Amino acid sequence: MIVESIPRPTGAKIVAQTLHSLGVKVIFGLVGIPVVQVAEEAIALGIRFIAFRNEQACSYAATAYGYLTGRPGVCLVVGGPGVLHAMAGIGNADANAFPMLLLAGSCETHLVGRGGFQEMDAVNLLSPHVKKAVRATLNDVSQKIRDTYRSAWYGRPGTGFVDLPADVIQGKPCEDIPETRVVPAPPRVGVDPERLAQLAALLRTADAPLVVVGKGAAYAQTENCIRQLIEESGIPFLPTPMGKGVLPDSHPLNTSSARSTALKGADVVLILGARLNWILHFGDEPKWDSNVKLIQVDISAEEIGKNNGNAELGIVGDINVVVPQLLTLLTGYRYNPASPYIQALQVSKVKNEAKAAKTAAIVKSPMGYHQVFDTIKRTLSKLSLPGDGNIVYISEGANTMDISRSAFPIEHPRLRMDAGTHATMGVGLGYAIAAHCAYNLPNPEGHSGPSKADYKKIVCLEGDSAFGFSMPEVETMARYNMSPLIFVVNNSGIYHGDSEEESQWLALQRNTNNSESGGLRSTSLGWEVKYEMMAEMCGGRGYFVRTPDELEKATEEGFKARVPVVVNVVIESGSGKKLEFAWQKTGAKK
Ligand code: ADP
Ligand code: MG
């Protein structure tokens, strides 16, 4: 009897099936030959493929999706130039400790070295920058994807890269491929009990204890145990920019508005999922006290003792394991709510909050940053969705990000993303797409969308420069029926924009010096560019606004819209952080 053999699947199908078995729901990508076949097979299996306009934005989106969901985000690009553009996402994943699985096509194996189509040795190029970089063959592609996904996820998260040659994508294996085993969630790193007892004793005897909550704590979804720690111990806390929301900003023990006092006055600091890098001033003087004990809790042993961290006290462990154990050791302890440290924090809070309210109330024409954010905040607070925590804020651009950080209170975890550890401008629109996919896509099991109460509006606060990096992705948003509300805070330039003062100086330079020294300032961008048209060109809605009334109306309509909305807010040019130029230092004649 002749038994007809079942035709073996192509490599593309095996890749798609493997991703499906790993529980991948969304792929962020940009196709070409040969990876288009992988994308099509994935779509056929019910995986959502979000097709971007540039690999940079799509790699950023995959990393952000990894952060928001706590599992690697998947990015699929072509070889050569596609990989080069996606390196931006690799840097982002590495700098922020976000998990990403990057899959890229490459030329046929037998053409390597002969100048094949988009040929590039991506494995060698990327190896120093990723946790794992491998080239798949037809017989091991499934196992390699699984293992790379696992290593991107386990330990400190980062990127895993799999190179998929065209002959692997298009070919058929000569053996049956075993089913992909599920990758369970990463095992949790345990705790050294002696160290923990030491730490508990230190906290108990501290005069001015502080807990710093970082984006590692947000990523690891540790909000319940950290909340319990703060509420039971009464120790004040300080969130880092993306640690905001792990505990609500409105919490009485939040020291955000007394940040300088909190840092300088603390004597024992428990750092949960944050690194002592520039964001925390390296743990050094003058921002911190020279005798401060900085106790890091981190899943990465290499992080312990870095910069001014007290290595002998640091704990290698998962916050979700360390904090509950610490809680048992702190039983009966409560930090004195009337301590001089708490009093100093209170004084500083009241002073700084009054100052901020005064600044926000300044009315100018054209508007300044504070007035813009205050208007948006007040309008948004009037427009409520049924649920609580229903807005995701994404912000980037030097001044836009810095000033808006304290303007919008974040009450729930993972509802605020910004330029992050690398201060990467251009991540915003990719992040917005990732947030939509993480929060608002129909549940693949139940096939229904998020309930009305769970739907989250994505609000982007973009500087005009930051928006420019990824503006074509507004079309991506429109194509997939996303409805973010994007504000472009437009001062016609980078940092402080093209102020009149500098323009005059420039004009003078042009006239008095030789003609070659002229040209626009390096911080100048187009004057009152009509960024709102990026939405209008693809079925979205655009607003060009100058006044608070126009801004309020646009915010209200934009919030309710079910298409992408770009609100182009023209503010005073020359507004924001000033850079000091050489001519200012030398007192050159203006
Ligand atoms: P921030 O920018 O908020 O200061 P960082 O990105 O610098 O935060 O630091 C986050 C840290 O959190 C990283 O060092 C990472 O290793 C760590 N981390 C991630 N997950 C966990 C976890 N489950 N437990 C402890 N530390 C974690
Ligand atoms: Mg600007």
Side-chain angles (χ1 to χ4, degrees), residues 96 156 214-216 220 240 273-275 277 279 298-299 317-319 421:
N96 291 291
R156 175 185 273 166
K215 70 172 163 324
T240 65
R275 282 167 288 180
N277 56 17
I279 290 179
D298 206 294
I299 43 168
D318 190 309
I319 296 161
T421 309

Side-chain angles (χ1 to χ4, degrees), residues 180-192:
T180 310
R181 280 180 298 130
V182 171
V183 179
R188 289 179 172 173
V189 190
V191 193
D192 172 350

Side-chain angles (χ1 to χ4, degrees), residues 398-399 402 491 493-499 501-502 505 521-524 574-585 590:
N399 292 299
D402 283 349
N491 67 347
I494 301 168
Y495 292 111
H496 57 304
D498 197 5
S499 73
E501 186 190 31
E502 281 139 24
W505 175 79
R521 296 224 69 98
S522 57
T523 51
S524 294
S575 176
K577 195 188 284 172
K578 290 259 180 212
L579 293 181
E580 199 182 0
F581 291 113
W583 59 268
Q584 290 167 317
K585 280 195 191 130
K590 283 191 255 172

